[in-house]
Amino acid sequence: MSKISESSYSVIIIEDNVLIAQEVLELLEPAGFQPIGQFQTYLSALKSLDDLSPSFCVLDLDLGGSMYSGFGPGEEGRRLLAVLAHVQVPTVVYSAFTRMQHQLERIHPNMIAVDKIEPAERVIEALGELRDASHQA
């Protein structure tokens, strides 16, 4: 069961590009979401996950370009996505790795992948889709 309440749609952003993170942050509140954390590394996000208990996450699978193995998202990104699935945090993957969506869905079935070539507004739309789906469940 997801821990999403109607009164609070908290979101963490895990993104190493400050400009992209800022663009997403600026769009969250007008859309009814509350940003509660922004992280540039997987480790810092993992350390804060329990304390923050976010309703949703926006996740970039390639922080610093160190993860690409030629087969899709690297070990750290897959591991973090699995942790988010385990703690039942619906996630928007905002990454260039969306062409591997079927693999990502096996790791986290409650996620939507948005390609980085899409504008940040599409991330907000995807968060809305996840929010709406959580109310139907």
Side-chain angles (χ1 to χ4, degrees):
M1 177 112 207
S2 182
K3 42 188 168 175
I4 300 170
S5 71
E6 285 191 37
S7 61
S8 173
Y9 299 115
S10 59
V11 179
I12 61 169
I13 299 172
I14 305 168
E15 168 65 66
D16 62 331
N17 184 312
V18 177
L19 295 176
I20 291 172
Q22 186 61 38
E23 187 175 9
V24 172
L25 276 170
E26 289 174 4
L27 295 170
L28 287 173
E29 286 188 25
F33 296 97
Q34 179 63 43
I36 60 169
Q38 178 182 345
F39 305 95
Q40 294 182 340
T41 68
Y42 297 118
L43 186 57
S44 63
L46 278 171
K47 287 180 180 179
S48 300
L49 199 55
D50 282 340
D51 293 336
L52 294 176
S53 296
S55 302
F56 301 97
C57 177
V58 176
L59 172 65
D60 177 9
L61 290 176
D62 185 21
L63 299 186
S66 62
M67 297 175 31
Y68 189 64
S69 65
F71 299 102
E75 191 63 33
E76 288 181 75
R78 289 193 308 265
R79 193 173 301 138
L80 184 54
L81 192 60
V83 169
L84 290 164
H86 179 74
V87 297
Q88 298 179 343
V89 176
T91 300
V92 175
V93 173
Y94 192 33
S95 180
F97 291 112
T98 57
R99 65 187 177 277
M100 305 294 198
Q101 183 163 348
H102 63 283
Q103 292 175 1
L104 300 176
E105 287 171 345
R106 282 186 282 189
I107 296 170
H108 192 335
N110 197 10
M111 74 96 214
I112 296 174
V114 176
D115 196 294
K116 277 267 178 94
I117 64 171
E118 296 290 328
E121 288 83 3
R122 177 62 191 118
V123 172
I124 304 306
E125 289 174 12
L127 284 169
E129 292 170 28
L130 289 170
R131 177 190 57 209
D132 294 347
S134 71
H135 290 297
Q136 295 173 1

